[in-house]
Amino acid sequence: MACLTPEAALSGECDFLSANLYARSVFGEDALANLSIEKVESTGHIQGHVRIRSKTQGIALSLGDKITLSQKESGKLALT
C-alpha cells in the first residue's frame, strides 16, 4: 500500500498517528485504508483502528484478512 499522507505530516514525535493508505490490486480494484494508532504510555503497546474502504467487497476482505494474520503473528499489535 502507498501512503497518501504527506511525509511532513508523519515527522515529529507524538503518541499517535493517523494516515491514509492506498492500494490497487492486480485486477484493478482500488482500496483506501484509514489507519489511526496510538501508543499506550502505561503498557507501551500500540493500539488503534483500521478502516478499509473499497467499491468491491473482495479486496476489503482480503486486506482485512492480511491485517488479522499480521496481528496474530506479532502478538503485540492490537488493532480493532
Side-chain angles (χ1 to χ4, degrees), residues 10-61:
L10 299 174
S11 64
E13 190 172 319
C14 63
D15 291 338
F16 68 93
L17 170 71
S18 181
N20 295 310
L21 306 172
Y22 169 79
R24 178 172 289 198
S25 75
V26 294
F27 303 109
E29 300 171 309
D30 296 321
L32 179 67
N34 304 111
L35 174 68
S36 177
I37 59 175
E38 68 177 328
K39 181 179 178 184
V40 180
E41 293 207 20
S42 60
T43 62
H45 291 153
I46 296 174
Q47 64 183 15
H49 300 276
V50 177
R51 174 177 283 164
I52 301 170
R53 298 178 181 182
S54 68
K55 289 184 179 179
T56 59
Q57 188 177 13
I59 193 168
L61 291 173

